Amino acid sequence: MSPDSLQLRRIGRVESPLTDAASAPKQGDEGAPDAWIVFERDILAGLDGVGAGDRVIVLTWLDRAERDLLKVHPRDDPSNPLRGVFGTRSADRPNPIGLHEVEVIAIEGERMRVRPLEALDGTPVVDLKPVL
Amino acid sequence: MSPDSLQLRRIGRVESPLTDAASAPKQGDEGAPDAWIVFERDILAGLDGVGAGDRVIVLTWLDRAERDLLKVHPRDDPSNPLRGVFGTRSADRPNPIGLHEVEVIAIEGERMRVRPLEALDGTPVVDLKPVL
């Protein structure tokens, strides 16, 4: 396996009113807002067949996360005992990939409106999959 | 964002009787076998608190996928009309990240037994998250 073989490419990015990690909801169902995903034009053919009303899983690259933490206080609450990151949904983990189950509200050109999405403004999007 | 900032690292790899993509189940619930995940020793602290009986999502890097396809025949069946890859669970997609919901059967040192897992033998593992 070549060293660069696990290199992700950004296929889009989040446009959201959320800009502050400390105050953002930790999960979509905790009051996260609607957001836009703006896709790169050269991958738009890959969205053929995805439409409003679909439930999809958005995969993001949580670019503001700490990658060298292996234990965290769940939900950033110091009163919670330290726990291995793989037993939590903390953004801080060796590979900070976020999973977000959302509903597609609308598609306008290269822009897709989704809800709810707790990812911060500017977060890279790396994949989209249908909910099975 | 630096060019290498979306670089994943392998945290483990799959040990499975499945070696042939063409004959492997396409989803875990389509007859996939039990498998082992063998973790890198330097991330084991991140598994603290994960145990037998837990339901987890394994994220893999589907290293035998085609990354330059944007449309596929769903389920590799030529009679299915071409569809954008983001509307399918095809392994072939720009960022071939696999999502696998499994049950943890046992943990023995750096080895974790899970079921069912449709990933092929040798597939890199990049993350593990609890099912919410």
Side-chain angles (χ1 to χ4, degrees):
Chain A
M1 186 156 43
S2 67
D4 62 348
S5 62
L6 276 71
Q7 178 77 47
L8 296 169
R9 58 163 294 205
R10 193 185 66 216
I11 64 164
R13 69 168 66 233
V14 172
E15 277 187 11
S16 169
L18 296 177
T19 56
D20 175 46
S23 61
K26 296 192 182 307
Q27 297 296 330
D29 59 6
E30 297 176 8
D34 297 2
W36 290 101
I37 300 172
V38 184
F39 289 98
E40 301 290 321
R41 289 180 179 272
D42 65 349
I43 62 83
L44 290 180
L47 293 170
D48 181 54
V50 181
D54 289 355
R55 291 202 66 79
V56 300
I57 301 172
V58 178
L59 282 75
T60 57
W61 180 259
L62 303 167
D63 55 345
R64 277 147 278 195
E66 300 283 343
R67 300 188 64 178
D68 55 357
L69 289 181
L70 289 172
K71 296 204 177 189
V72 293
H73 296 285
R75 300 188 64 81
D76 294 328
D77 181 343
S79 71
N80 286 329
L82 280 171
R83 189 181 166 98
V85 291
F86 301 120
T88 80
R89 287 288 187 117
S90 171
D92 299 324
R93 54 206 310 119
N95 293 308
I97 299 169
L99 299 184
H100 316 269
E101 187 174 327
V102 301
E103 180 180 354
V104 178
I105 305 302
I107 298 181
E108 299 176 6
E110 75 272 27
R111 300 166 62 82
M112 177 182 288
R113 186 81 168 162
V114 300
R115 84 166 52 127
L117 187 65
E118 76 277 21
L120 300 179
D121 186 57
T123 300
V125 171
V126 296
D127 200 11
L128 197 78
K129 299 179 191 292
V131 173
L132 292 183
Chain B
M1 187 158 43
S2 67
D4 62 348
S5 62
L6 276 69
Q7 177 77 46
L8 296 170
R9 56 162 296 205
R10 193 185 67 219
I11 65 163
R13 68 169 66 234
V14 172
E15 277 188 12
S16 170
L18 297 177
T19 56
D20 175 45
S23 61
K26 296 192 182 303
Q27 297 296 330
D29 60 5
E30 296 176 9
D34 296 3
W36 290 101
I37 298 171
V38 184
F39 288 97
E40 301 291 320
R41 288 180 180 273
D42 65 350
I43 62 84
L44 290 180
L47 293 170
D48 181 53
V50 181
D54 289 353
R55 291 201 66 80
V56 300
I57 301 172
V58 179
L59 282 75
T60 58
W61 180 259
L62 302 167
D63 56 344
R64 276 148 279 196
E66 301 284 343
R67 300 188 64 178
D68 54 358
L69 289 181
L70 288 174
K71 296 202 178 193
V72 294
H73 296 286
R75 302 189 62 81
D76 294 329
D77 181 344
S79 71
N80 287 328
L82 279 172
R83 188 181 167 97
V85 291
F86 301 120
T88 80
R89 288 290 188 117
S90 171
D92 299 324
R93 56 206 309 118
N95 293 307
I97 298 170
L99 300 184
H100 317 269
E101 186 174 327
V102 301
E103 181 182 353
V104 177
I105 305 301
I107 298 180
E108 299 176 6
E110 75 272 27
R111 300 165 63 81
M112 177 183 286
R113 186 80 168 163
V114 300
R115 86 168 49 131
L117 187 65
E118 76 276 21
L120 300 179
D121 187 57
T123 299
V125 172
V126 295
D127 199 10
L128 198 78
K129 299 180 190 293
V131 174
L132 292 183

